[in-house]
Amino acid sequence: MCCRSTIKTNRLNNYCQKIDTRCLGLFPNEKISYKIFVLVIVTMGFLQNVQAKSDYLDSNLSSEERVSLLLKEMKLDEKIGQMCQYVGEASEGSIETQDTKLDYTLGLGERAGLIRDGKVGSFLKVASYREANILQELAAESRLKIPLLIATDALHGHGMYSDPATLYATEIGLASSFDTGLAEAVARSTAIEMRATGYHWAFSPNIEVVRDPRWGRFGETFGEDPYLVTQMGNAMVRGYQGENFNGQENVIASAKHFVGGGIAYNGVNGASADISERTLQEIFFPPFLGAIESGVYTIMPAHNDINGIPSHAHARYLTDLIRKQWGFKGFYISDWKDIARLQSVHKVVETEEAASQLAVLAGMDMNMHGPGFFDHIKSAVLAEKIPLHRIDDAVSKILYAKFQLGLFENRYVDKVQLEKTVLRKEHLDLALESARKSLVLLKNNNTFLPLATNVSRILVTGPGANNQTILGEWSRLQPEDNVVTVLEGIESVASNKTKVDFLPIDGYGEIDDSIIKKAAKMAAKSDVAVVVVGENSLRFDKDKTSGENLDRPSLELVGDQLALLKIIKSQGVPLVVVLINGGPIASEWLVENADAIIEAWEPGMFGGQAIAEAIFGLYNPGGRLPITVPRSVGHLQSYYNHKPSAFHRGGFYQSSRSPLFEFGFGLSYTQFQYSDLQMRKTVDPEADMELSVILKNTGVVAGDEVVLVYLNDKVSSVTTPVRKLVAFDRVHLKAGEKRKMKLNISKDHFKLLDVDMKIVLEPGEFEVVIGDDRLIETIIAH
Ligand code: BGC
């Protein structure tokens, strides 16, 4: 009988054979035979049990089947454990400083025991593949051997990884490229480097729409336009997750932060956001809805409260809206310690225990760091304050990701594969492409640029000229050889007849008088000065001027940078300004006095090369602004898609009300001509509007053009923006080349939220504006 049962392991086979030998006696003694019979029955039960237990390890089953089998095996502690995320290297026990597994495990302290007990689901801030492997080994020692999900802030490359990696232009630069294919490729190659090094989850993309550029995190967003942010966010989700995040080259993405951080009180990170329900639906929600439609598997709520309700406790949004209405299938990860902050910061509950309970009941599935969470949830479940099905629901989603990603089969890093993958040629080429495509030429007085390669003497200076500030936020410093600074780029691209003088400026604060004088002297002897100014958002730099938790009280150049520019300009030398920054720089002096301005954002590891190529005309910049650059901080809020009343009366005392640069602005070394706009003249509520236009490069050099299509609802029952972006495309045309561009306006863009907050299409006229206002067509909805 025993032999008929299916037995998989050798150990169990041996056990069974022993019983069989006794069975051969064919019950000579009834008492013994009865005992044997009982033993056989018990053993069968045991064997079936063991068989069932190992089924979730069967990779032939679907992830859904494996989740349900595993869930049946799990004890309450193990389930709640999956909802807990802890930090790795932030502790003293970093493998970087203590190089044995034992030392690292000791450094982890209590966390090592928690992993072995199956009470941890995920880790973040893991510095290297060595740490990732050790953490997974500890997880493999746990009863159910559930692997850990290892997360990192890989926003524009695997920048928080402690070994070298490929670093691309930051999100604001990618947005300026208006190239969704580029954004998707950047996320794809980031995912590939992440998986090769043991990471499975990118806390990216940041798809918050930003209306207050004082926010120090501007550079990690796609700017101010909901449509552009949505398209870029969707592209990155596709890039990270691939098809269903299945396999060895995909990671899960995290759409963050839901919602309103880009318009928080005073632009301060984490401060309250008061946003009308209409503005939420029209401006701030669309990127999240888009990410869900693109399959994003995790969402991170924002630090802030929205209209008085902290994002992490917002049941109406997390559960009713996002899950039930929008159909989000993945799981929520809290932002850093934000569940506990429901008590300590937002003060909506009296205890941390109540905070954990409130968040989980609102829909939160995983807690980002904080040891109390486990105990709070356990006692709430035991006291029946949180139903077990809420826990099962959270855990199932987390386990699903682990099965889909193939972690049960492949949890360790293969060093050989890693070496073949990280910094591979396609990734490096893409890094250069991202830097080139994100450049925006803001000013070019009398076509001063490009410079002739044989210009005889160039002064290069400014605090951003020769360092890694080009990498931007969420980056560690990279080996010098892997990064091309602006100075290095210019030195390598300029002809060897050109003398490049370099004056180092140390930091973004005060510049010593003697240096200012030296700058003047050197400028007087130069044919041109290239001055690299802006911001420093390098994550771990003591000299940083913006970034997470470092917001900007002014949008002017910080420290003495303007004084440096002024003294150089006063020498009569042509001034080329390169801006390295995350958020916009609002400097009227700069715009009036520079001969050329290149907005380079934080262009990544090959930023210096791309900038130099643009200065000398080896590359023709074609990016456009994904934001409005205001005249000053006092001109905020300042965004292009404002309501018609924004400027209908008066203006600012002694100041123009127009921005320094409009959203969508960007120059080129060539010119493009638009003609023959073709489209239906009436709106079909059931179909997208197709349009085509003939685009011709009429200049003498090749270049990229970003075609932007705006829509204006001329008269509507509620106020609507003066224009909104509804389609875009970027194309490369050789000199003289002509192309028919085809674009699509989604039918949804013609609809609005009426006075009752219903989505309707109202009859009336719409204006379609294309090619920087060069072609305008009026169409009608009946
Ligand atoms: C940030 C998140 C980030 C997390 C983990 C938080 O402070 O707001 O965007 O993913 O830290 O580093």
Side-chain angles (χ1 to χ4, degrees):
M1 212 189 225
C2 178
C3 297
R4 268 182 249 133
S5 57
T6 317
I7 300 161
K8 285 187 175 171
T9 68
N10 286 342
R11 192 165 60 84
L12 294 177
N13 266 326
N14 295 340
Y15 186 49
C16 186
Q17 271 163 16
K18 277 186 202 149
I19 294 176
D20 247 2
T21 327
R22 291 215 245 153
C23 287
L24 290 177
L26 294 175
F27 308 135
N29 169 323
E30 273 199 24
K31 268 188 191 166
I32 294 174
S33 67
Y34 178 73
K35 279 184 188 161
I36 290 174
F37 179 72
V38 170
L39 186 62
V40 168
I41 296 295
V42 169
T43 307
M44 277 173 59
F46 168 72
L47 293 178
Q48 273 168 3
N49 206 16
V50 170
Q51 186 190 344
K53 272 182 189 168
S54 56
D55 272 349
Y56 69 88
L57 296 174
D58 180 353
S59 61
N60 294 318
L61 298 178
S62 71
S63 297
E64 289 85 352
E65 287 169 307
R66 297 176 79 182
V67 168
S68 90
L69 287 165
L70 175 52
L71 204 62
K72 285 188 198 129
E73 304 300 325
M74 293 174 81
K75 299 177 182 160
L76 180 62
D77 280 12
E78 288 161 336
K79 289 181 179 177
I80 300 172
Q82 288 302 307
M83 299 167 74
C84 298
Q85 182 181 68
Y86 290 91
V87 284
E89 54 84 30
S91 71
E92 299 84 68
S94 169
I95 192 90
E96 304 311 318
T97 50
Q98 303 175 20
D99 56 6
T100 69
K101 176 178 173 183
L102 181 65
D103 285 340
Y104 178 71
T105 310
L106 285 174
L108 276 178
E110 209 187 322
R111 283 166 296 171
L114 292 175
I115 305 173
R116 287 189 178 111
D117 290 346
K119 290 183 179 170
V120 183
S122 172
F123 259 77
L124 84 154
K125 299 196 193 295
V126 173
S128 68
Y129 79 90
R130 297 174 285 278
E131 291 191 55
N133 272 350
I134 296 173
L135 292 167
Q136 296 292 13
E137 279 172 25
L138 294 173
E141 290 169 28
S142 68
R143 189 178 77 93
L144 296 168
K145 308 188 184 329
I146 304 175
L148 296 164
L149 261 181
I150 299 191
T152 183
D153 289 284
L155 276 87
H156 52 104
H158 197 10
M160 301 308 288
Y161 182 58
S162 66
D163 289 344
T166 315
L167 292 187
Y168 307 89
T170 60
E171 279 175 300
I172 196 71
L174 295 177
S176 300
S177 77
F178 282 82
D179 183 342
T180 51
L182 173 69
E184 182 169 341
V186 164
R188 177 96 295 269
S189 46
T190 301
I192 291 171
E193 293 201 0
M194 284 175 65
R195 284 307 296 268
T197 51
Y199 299 73
H200 326 109
W201 184 5
F203 287 153
S204 174
N206 184 337
I207 50 172
E208 296 204 64
V209 173
V210 188
R211 284 194 156 181
D212 194 329
R214 290 176 293 178
W215 194 32
R217 304 186 71 168
F218 201 104
E220 58 174 289
T221 75
F222 296 113
E224 75 183 27
D225 181 69
Y227 178 69
L228 175 62
V229 175
T230 304
Q231 298 309 312
M232 287 287 162
N234 292 351
M236 286 200 93
V237 170
R238 291 194 298 270
Y240 285 121
Q241 295 195 165
E243 194 61 32
N244 298 324
F245 49 91
N246 200 219
Q248 294 309 300
E249 293 203 330
N250 296 320
V251 300
I252 50 173
S254 191
K256 70 187 188 183
H257 313 81
F258 190 87
V259 64
I263 193 178
Y265 183 67
N266 277 341
V268 168
N269 193 35
S272 291
D274 276 304
I275 317 174
S276 75
E277 198 62 33
R278 176 176 298 279
T279 305
L280 280 168
Q281 292 198 35
E282 289 173 353
I283 306 293
F284 292 93
F285 285 170
F288 288 92
L289 182 54
I292 291 166
E293 286 168 358
S294 303
V296 74
Y297 199 68
T298 72
I299 293 179
M300 188 186 291
H303 293 308
N304 52 277
D305 61 293
I306 314 155
N307 303 329
I309 303 175
S311 313
H312 285 72
H314 212 307
R316 189 160 57 83
Y317 287 162
L318 299 182
T319 299
D320 301 343
L321 178 73
I322 301 181
R323 261 207 201 292
K324 295 189 184 151
Q325 208 175 309
W326 294 353
F328 173 50
K329 301 268 183 308
F331 68 90
Y332 291 108
I333 169 75
S334 84
D335 201 347
W336 178 253
K337 293 184 176 175
D338 275 346
I339 292 182
R341 287 189 188 131
L342 293 174
Q343 183 264 328
S344 61
V345 172
H346 295 290
K347 312 220 180 280
V348 293
V349 280
E350 284 184 353
T351 63
E352 263 194 34
E353 182 165 3
S356 303
Q357 197 180 309
L358 182 68
V360 170
L361 287 174
M364 290 305 306
D365 300 302
M366 188 185 278
N367 178 53
M368 189 193 292
H369 197 64
F373 182 78
F374 178 93
D375 293 335
H376 303 153
I377 299 304
K378 184 169 178 183
S379 49
V381 173
L382 294 177
E384 297 183 357
K385 290 181 187 163
I386 298 180
L388 190 59
H389 67 77
R390 176 71 271 276
I391 304 297
D392 284 350
D393 171 52
V395 176
S396 308
K397 295 187 165 85
I398 296 163
L399 294 176
Y400 179 79
K402 296 184 177 185
F403 284 120
Q404 275 298 96
L405 288 159
L407 299 190
F408 283 81
E409 291 69 46
N410 279 302
R411 70 179 76 195
Y412 300 114
V413 173
D414 171 355
K415 186 85 190 305
V416 177
Q417 188 56 30
L418 181 156
E419 275 159 11
K420 279 198 252 164
T421 307
V422 177
L423 291 163
R424 69 187 187 204
K425 185 169 180 312
E426 306 96 273
H427 298 179
L428 299 179
D429 290 347
L430 186 66
L432 179 57
E433 186 187 343
S434 75
R436 287 174 176 156
K437 286 192 165 166
S438 59
L439 301 179
V440 186
L441 182 62
L442 289 181
K443 186 174 181 192
N444 196 12
N445 237 2
N446 302 322
T447 57
F448 181 74
L449 289 181
L451 294 183
T453 24
N454 61 358
V455 57
S456 54
R457 196 158 189 177
I458 302 182
L459 166 64
V460 179
T461 188
N466 195 28
N467 53 43
Q468 299 197 7
T469 50
I470 49 174
L471 300 181
E473 169 67 295
W474 300 111
S475 309
R476 289 176 190 270
L477 287 182
Q478 299 297 304
E480 281 183 10
D481 285 351
N482 291 11
V483 176
V484 180
T485 68
V486 181
L487 174 67
E488 288 164 350
I490 290 175
E491 283 173 340
S492 77
V493 172
S495 99
N496 46 19
K497 290 192 194 110
T498 304
K499 183 163 184 339
V500 179
D501 296 319
F502 174 53
L503 174 66
I505 304 285
D506 192 16
Y508 289 76
E510 234 175 78
I511 304 175
D512 202 80
D513 268 356
S514 60
I515 302 282
I516 296 269
K517 282 187 194 137
K518 200 162 174 195
K521 252 194 194 161
M522 290 172 80
K525 288 190 211 144
S526 306
D527 299 317
V528 57
V530 176
V531 189
V532 188
V533 292
E535 297 275 341
N536 171 7
S537 66
L538 272 177
R539 188 140 191 100
F540 301 114
D541 199 317
K542 60 172 181 19
D543 194 28
K544 67 194 274 190
T545 64
S546 69
E548 191 187 9
N549 299 323
L550 198 53
D551 305 304
R552 304 193 300 153
S554 157
L555 305 182
E556 256 293 359
L557 288 167
V558 296
D560 285 345
Q561 297 184 91
L562 203 52
L564 176 71
L565 292 173
K566 284 181 176 171
I567 195 88
I568 290 174
K569 179 72 190 179
S570 70
Q571 306 308 305
V573 62
L575 177 63
V576 174
V577 174
V578 175
L579 293 173
I580 303 293
N581 52 313
I585 302 295
S587 172
E588 289 184 308
W589 185 93
L590 173 63
V591 174
E592 278 156 26
N593 293 284
D595 293 278
I597 305 174
I598 296 177
E599 174 54 90
W601 306 112
E602 290 150 335
M605 64 198 293
F606 296 127
Q609 183 175 336
I611 291 164
E613 288 173 351
I615 290 176
F616 289 103
L618 306 186
Y619 179 75
N620 181 358
R624 301 293 190 104
L625 286 178
I627 52 163
T628 304
V629 181
R631 252 163 219 283
S632 78
V633 77
H635 290 71
L636 295 180
Q637 296 180 31
S638 197
Y639 43 84
Y640 85 97
N641 48 353
H642 57 74
K643 299 292 177 73
S645 62
F647 298 116
H648 82 298
R649 292 177 63 140
F652 294 104
Y653 176 63
Q654 291 190 347
S655 178
S656 163
R657 60 194 186 187
S658 66
L660 283 179
F661 296 106
E662 291 271 3
F663 173 91
F665 182 80
L667 302 170
S668 167
Y669 296 150
T670 187
Q671 300 82 43
F672 294 92
Q673 186 188 64
Y674 286 74
S675 62
D676 200 18
L677 173 59
Q678 300 278 347
M679 63 195 302
R680 281 194 318 264
K681 299 291 174 280
T682 53
V683 176
D684 178 349
E686 303 306 324
D688 292 349
M689 172 76 79
E690 289 169 8
L691 63 85
S692 68
V693 68
I694 304 293
L695 182 67
K696 184 174 182 194
N697 180 347
T698 54
V700 291
V701 291
D704 287 9
E705 171 70 337
V706 174
V707 179
L708 299 168
V709 183
Y710 296 96
L711 192 68
N712 167 25
D713 188 343
K714 287 172 80 176
V715 179
S716 43
S717 62
V718 294
T719 59
T720 49
V722 288
R723 59 167 57 183
K724 62 177 182 182
L725 183 71
V726 290
F728 62 84
D729 200 1
R730 179 171 178 145
V731 62
H732 180 80
L733 293 184
K734 288 187 225 126
E737 193 181 347
K738 212 183 206 185
R739 181 141 346 144
K740 184 172 188 175
M741 301 292 299
K742 292 185 180 169
L743 294 105
N744 235 13
I745 307 176
S746 157
K747 58 184 183 311
D748 297 334
H749 284 306
F750 296 93
K751 299 177 183 160
L752 54 73
L753 275 176
D754 71 6
V755 283
D756 300 317
M757 301 297 277
K758 299 238 159 49
I759 300 173
V760 295
L761 173 67
E762 290 185 345
E765 287 186 347
F766 291 86
E767 248 175 15
V768 175
V769 182
I770 187 168
D772 302 327
D773 294 0
R774 278 174 279 185
L775 296 178
I776 300 178
E777 184 72 71
T778 301
I779 55 172
I780 300 179
H782 294 291

